[in-house]
């Protein structure tokens, strides 16, 4: 079967779910349309920004006059640490309290930057902060999962352009990492090998979906990608979490993030919106040898800076569907320059 032409389903080995691929619907998947938008140069400091150094936040707290990275507990966090864990059952209705901490991670004091515009040495500082938070938050008895993520761009619901991400740390394992944990455990127990290490070996042989690689990391469009230009960064070594990265590997990881986000910006010559997140082993005190950490990017844009993919209709009621294949997306991403279009 020629996967590039016929409708088919693809299996996501990490979640155990299927997606529908309909490549026959894209006669010309790549039209090279760029927006030529007027680049509004952001200033390096905005007195109204609640993330800029020294500014007062909505809740009244004042940011430190930080010079590199900065993290603080979200003034309006979705989960809170106080209270005790209780479960309530009423017939078929079940609920339980969720404990946790939400933090905001400022990537840089410079209001005008984004990850692709930051220096590799400065992205390394973000990675070091992620590692520190993973260790510190994970050490809490009540915290068993650390979700590191970034929402970038207004289309993703992020209204503040100041470069920042978030961490939600909580007592239960949420749905996406829970599914991935199960699939990885099944494979690891059967094969004695990390699922993603085996997958990586197959992808490196096939060379069809690789976007970028360096000594320690590979960035690729996963075979089961749902979002048009979805990618993931996988460490070559079987590491359960980012805390295991050496100094050299931190730099390699930063390079992979910079290259990938630069290619994204170059795709439509806009500051490319996405949700990016790291999935890694739970912090419940167990070893979790099955886990192989990875960072995924889910960008919503399809054919241009203004054509967004919606997860509606069939996708809400059945399962995700895509037109452009993972191979077509990878080919386009691979060909894009690693030099940012803004120079
Ligand atoms: Zn700012």
């Amino acid at each position: 079967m020629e996967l590039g032409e016929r409708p088919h389903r693809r299996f996501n080995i990490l979640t155990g779910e299927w997606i529908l691929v309909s490549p026959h619907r894209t006669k010309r998947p790549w039209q090279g349309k760029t927006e030529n938008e007027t680049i509004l140069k952001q200033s390096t400091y905005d007195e109204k920004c609640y993330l800029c150094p020294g500014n007062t936040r909505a809740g009244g707290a004042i940011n430190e006059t930080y010079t590199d990275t900065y993290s603080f507990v979200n003034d309006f966090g979705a989960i809170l640490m106080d209270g005790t864990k209780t479960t309530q059952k009423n017939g078929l209705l079940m609920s339980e309290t969720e404990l946790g901490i939400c933090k905001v991670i400022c990537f840089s004091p410079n209001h005008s930057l984004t990850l692709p515009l930051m220096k590799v040495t400065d992205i390394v500082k973000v990675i070091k902060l992620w590692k520190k938070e993973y260790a510190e938050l994970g050490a809490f008895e009540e915290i068993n999962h650390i979700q590191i993520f970034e929402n970038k761009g207004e289309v993703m619901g992020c209204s503040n352009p100041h470069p920042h991400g978030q961490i939600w740390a909580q007592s239960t394992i949420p749905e996406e990492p829970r599914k991935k944990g199960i699939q990885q455990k099944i494979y690891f127990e059967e094969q004695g090998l990390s699922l993603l290490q085996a997958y990586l070996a197959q992808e490196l042989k096939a060379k069809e979906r690789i976007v970028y690689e360096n000594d320690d990391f590979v960035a690729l469009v996963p075979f089961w990608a749902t979002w048009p230009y979805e990618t993931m960064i996988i460490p070559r070594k079987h590491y359960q979490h980012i805390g295991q990265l050496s100094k050299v590997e931190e730099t390699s990881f930063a390079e992979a993030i910079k290259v990938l986000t630069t290619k994204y910006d170059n795709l439509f010559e806009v500051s490319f919106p996405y949700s990016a997140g790291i999935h890694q082993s739970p912090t419940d005190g167990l070893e979790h040898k099955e886990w192989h950490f990875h960072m995924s990017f889910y960008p919503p844009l399809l054919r241009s800076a203004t054509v967004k993919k919606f997860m509606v209709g069939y996708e809400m009621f059945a399962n995700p569907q895509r037109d452009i294949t993972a191979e077509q997306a990878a080919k386009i991403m691979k060909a894009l320059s690693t030099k940012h279009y803004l120079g």
Side-chain angles (χ1 to χ4, degrees):
M1 180 179 71
E2 182 50 66
L3 289 185
E5 281 159 29
R6 289 194 54 79
H8 60 277
R9 300 207 303 157
R10 292 193 188 195
F11 185 64
N12 181 335
I13 55 169
L14 280 172
T15 61
E17 295 167 343
W18 291 86
I19 73 148
L20 180 65
V21 185
S22 317
H24 62 297
R25 299 214 305 183
T26 52
K27 290 262 162 20
R28 287 192 302 150
W30 176 241
Q31 294 159 344
K33 188 177 181 298
T34 54
E35 272 315 291
N36 297 322
E37 57 162 16
T38 339
I39 310 287
L40 288 173
K41 196 125 176 55
Q42 297 272 357
S43 59
T44 57
Y45 170 77
D46 177 352
E47 56 179 23
K48 291 194 194 77
C49 169
Y50 66 89
L51 298 177
C52 275
N55 286 6
T56 305
R57 303 201 295 269
I62 296 166
N63 292 331
E64 282 173 26
T65 49
Y66 63 99
T67 51
D68 290 319
T69 56
Y70 177 54
S71 68
F72 59 88
V73 175
N74 194 326
D75 304 315
F76 308 98
I79 27 179
L80 303 167
M81 203 53 163
D82 47 354
T84 49
K85 193 108 184 149
T86 56
T87 306
Q88 286 187 312
K89 254 185 161 177
N90 172 18
L92 291 173
L93 313 181
M94 183 164 66
S95 66
E96 58 181 27
T97 42
E98 179 69 356
L99 301 179
I101 306 169
C102 294
K103 295 189 86 167
V104 177
I105 306 287
C106 296
F107 296 162
S108 163
N110 185 336
H111 184 82
S112 68
L113 292 182
T114 54
L115 284 173
L117 298 174
M118 284 168 65
K119 285 191 223 133
V120 167
T121 48
D122 289 331
I123 300 174
V124 167
K125 290 173 187 166
V126 176
I127 293 167
K128 283 186 189 295
L129 181 56
W130 285 339
K131 285 175 76 170
K132 180 172 167 279
E133 294 287 350
Y134 179 81
E136 285 180 8
L137 292 167
F140 281 101
E141 175 80 35
E142 301 88 340
I143 299 297
N144 297 312
H145 176 74
I146 314 281
Q147 188 56 59
I148 295 171
F149 66 97
E150 180 194 4
N151 261 350
K152 177 169 174 261
E154 278 185 58
V155 72
M156 299 309 290
C158 179
S159 52
N160 191 333
H162 194 109
H164 72 284
Q166 298 185 54
I167 295 180
W168 292 20
Q170 66 191 97
S171 59
T172 57
I173 313 292
E175 289 306 301
E176 287 302 305
R178 190 183 65 81
K179 287 183 276 188
K180 289 184 174 183
I182 292 170
Q183 291 298 113
Q184 290 181 101
K185 200 168 167 49
I186 293 170
Y187 189 88
F188 190 77
E189 283 176 355
E190 278 176 10
Q191 308 288 331
L193 181 70
S194 136
L195 174 63
L196 277 186
Q197 204 158 35
Y199 173 64
L200 203 50
Q202 191 173 341
E203 286 291 12
L204 287 167
K205 223 167 155 186
K207 292 190 169 72
E208 268 186 301
R209 286 166 293 270
I210 309 285
V211 173
Y212 166 81
E213 55 182 302
N214 61 32
D215 287 348
D216 305 304
F217 287 87
V218 177
L220 51 80
V221 178
F223 178 72
W224 54 84
T226 295
W227 295 94
Y229 293 97
E230 177 178 333
T231 54
M232 65 196 289
I233 299 176
I234 309 171
R236 289 182 195 266
K237 282 204 188 118
H238 177 197
Y239 285 152
Q240 283 73 51
H241 56 81
I242 52 171
Q244 293 165 290
L245 293 176
S246 69
K247 260 192 170 162
V248 172
E249 288 162 342
E250 286 171 3
T251 300
S252 299
F253 190 22
E255 275 164 0
I257 291 171
K258 184 171 170 75
V259 166
L260 205 52
T261 53
T262 298
K263 283 174 175 281
Y264 275 145
D265 278 9
N266 288 342
L267 185 57
F268 301 126
E269 297 193 355
V270 289
S271 184
F272 201 75
Y274 58 73
S275 270
I278 298 172
H279 275 151
Q280 49 192 329
S281 56
T283 54
D284 55 5
L286 301 172
E287 207 179 15
H288 289 292
K289 270 283 179 203
E290 74 277 13
W291 260 95
H292 193 132
F293 98 77
H294 52 279
M295 182 172 192
S296 296
F297 289 79
Y298 301 151
L301 297 186
L302 184 53
R303 274 186 294 276
S304 74
T306 49
V307 180
K308 182 179 174 288
K309 177 185 172 63
F310 289 97
M311 289 283 193
V312 295
Y314 179 83
E315 303 177 299
M316 274 183 166
F317 290 96
N319 59 226
Q321 181 270 341
R322 63 181 287 137
D323 294 344
I324 171 179
T325 63
E327 297 71 42
Q328 289 168 331
K331 204 175 161 193
I332 291 164
M333 285 289 289
K334 191 175 180 173
L336 287 164
S337 175
T338 55
K339 189 178 177 298
H340 199 277
Y341 75 96
L342 290 178

